[in-house]
Amino acid sequence: MVATQDLRRPAVLVLQALVVAGCYYAAGRLGLYRQLVVEGAVVTPIWPASGVAVAALLILGLRVWPGIALGTLLIIESIAPVHIDVLGTVVGNTLAPVCACLLLRRAGFRLSLSRLRDGLALVFLGALTAMLISSFAGAGLLVCTDKLSASDFWPVWLAWWVGDAMGVLIVTPLLLMLYTLRRLPAPTRWKEALLLAVIAAVVIPLASHSTLSVLFLVYPLLIWAALRFRLAGSMLCALLTSVLATIAATDRVGPFERLSRIEVMIKLQAFNGSMALTALLLSALITEQLNTRRSVEKACQELVEVLEHLTAGEPPPRRDSREGTER
């Protein structure tokens, strides 16, 4: 029996790593469909593979890191011949999500993103800090191999860093939400959800492709989605907005028309970043406040029950500290 379990454990780890590699590869290929050219280097405005990697490590543990390395290698192999110098990119793309996972664990991160501190940790530790590793490794490798001049390092590094960070800000919360989802919204909320989806399907394409620069119209939708549907609603709305804005930017239409390549990158990344931050932090704050209110209401209800027993001359009920049930 022990021997059978010992054999199953490595097989499960290998299977998990292969699944992670497949998901990382699929997310990377999706990211490559839309690209920006910055100082002669091709970068992706959103790199969803980084979000997949961070979510996989948080859910499955650090033991699946070989799957991230394998997925990175497969993506590189699909777009260019593999040489020894690509090991720097593989190492950077693997170390960045690993460091993100370690930093988030140290900060006491909860997968449910039910507290404001969880949202702040994901933004500043998981996205902005940890993704510095992959961006420095990727842009630095281009300079070391003479594919990029030293004077062009910083614009390429910035685009690389923001693309990786955006993947974490948008994709990781969605995957964590799916993992921690326990029940669907009440049937009475489906009508409102459908109404929000219809309005978003009209307003977001209009805002992202209109020449009037009305991208700000998406923020009321983000607020509505966060207030009524919290993380699920706000991040789905943010994902749709980010994808359509990226399409408009790479096609040079709407608010991105007649802009230089650098101006397109700056405007797109600034909009995507501020929009993702608003959706993530607002939904985390609202969730924390709702949980706090429920805790206060529960404590008040228990206090009323205790007072009723004391008024009747009966001893107060004993409660299980873990389940809150009377004994």
Side-chain angles (χ1 to χ4, degrees):
M1 183 68 176
V2 176
T4 303
Q5 292 178 348
D6 292 340
L7 290 175
R8 286 179 179 175
R9 184 172 299 176
V12 171
L13 293 179
V14 171
L15 180 61
Q16 289 178 339
L18 291 176
V19 171
V20 170
C23 294
Y24 189 97
Y25 175 79
R29 293 299 302 176
L30 285 175
L32 291 173
Y33 277 116
R34 291 290 168 170
Q35 303 173 347
L36 290 175
V37 178
V38 181
E39 303 299 342
V42 179
V43 296
T44 56
I46 304 174
W47 186 242
S50 61
V52 171
V54 173
L57 292 172
L58 289 172
I59 295 172
L60 300 176
L62 294 174
R63 60 182 179 271
V64 298
W65 70 263
I68 300 172
L70 177 60
T72 303
L73 192 61
L74 291 174
I75 292 174
I76 296 174
E77 189 274 336
S78 68
I79 58 178
V82 176
H83 301 290
I84 189 66
D85 54 10
V86 304
L87 290 179
T89 303
V90 174
V91 171
N93 283 18
T94 304
L95 279 180
V98 167
C99 289
C101 181
L102 292 174
L103 289 172
L104 290 173
R105 285 184 176 180
R106 184 143 183 111
F109 179 78
R110 294 180 183 176
L111 300 184
S112 60
L113 282 165
S114 58
R115 303 171 301 175
L116 178 59
R117 61 178 292 183
D118 298 326
L120 292 173
L122 184 61
V123 170
F124 292 102
L125 298 180
L128 301 183
T129 299
M131 294 304 116
L132 290 171
I133 298 174
S134 56
S135 58
F136 271 113
L141 183 63
L142 292 177
V143 174
C144 292
T145 55
D146 294 328
K147 296 178 181 178
L148 183 72
S149 63
S151 60
D152 296 331
F153 171 83
W154 290 111
V156 175
W157 167 83
L158 178 62
W160 198 308
W161 176 55
V162 175
D164 284 357
M166 283 301 304
V168 176
L169 290 178
I170 293 181
V171 177
T172 298
L174 285 174
L175 295 178
L176 295 180
M177 181 265 298
L178 291 175
Y179 176 73
T180 58
L181 185 64
R182 294 293 178 266
R183 58 182 180 179
L184 295 175
T188 54
R189 305 288 298 279
W190 283 106
K191 292 183 179 179
E192 184 181 0
L194 181 60
L195 177 62
L196 174 60
V198 171
I199 294 177
V202 174
V203 173
I204 295 176
L206 176 64
S208 60
H209 287 74
S210 173
T211 57
L212 299 177
S213 293
V214 289
L215 287 172
F216 60 87
L217 291 177
V218 304
Y219 285 97
L221 293 177
L222 289 177
I223 296 172
W224 179 11
L227 287 172
R228 300 297 294 165
F229 303 99
R230 288 178 278 178
L231 186 67
S234 63
M235 294 314 300
L236 285 173
C237 191
L239 176 62
L240 176 61
T241 304
S242 181
V243 169
L244 293 181
T246 300
I247 293 174
T250 53
D251 290 341
R252 301 289 188 89
V253 298
F256 304 97
E257 190 177 3
R258 294 189 296 273
L259 297 180
S260 67
R261 291 176 177 177
I262 295 296
E263 289 173 339
V264 168
M265 182 201 70
I266 293 175
K267 186 171 185 176
L268 174 64
Q269 303 294 41
F271 170 71
N272 279 343
S274 60
M275 181 260 309
L277 286 174
T278 300
L280 178 59
L281 297 183
L282 182 60
S283 60
L285 178 61
I286 292 172
T287 301
E288 183 179 46
Q289 290 181 339
L290 288 175
N291 290 338
T292 301
R293 188 182 71 179
R294 289 169 182 167
S295 298
V296 172
E297 291 175 349
K298 182 179 179 181
C300 291
Q301 183 180 2
E302 293 176 355
L303 180 59
V304 169
E305 293 177 0
V306 170
L307 291 176
E308 289 177 350
H309 281 80
L310 292 177
T311 303
E314 302 175 356
R318 296 178 58 189
R319 296 180 178 275
D320 191 316
S321 59
R322 293 173 298 178
E323 300 179 0
T325 56
E326 294 186 7
R327 287 186 172 182

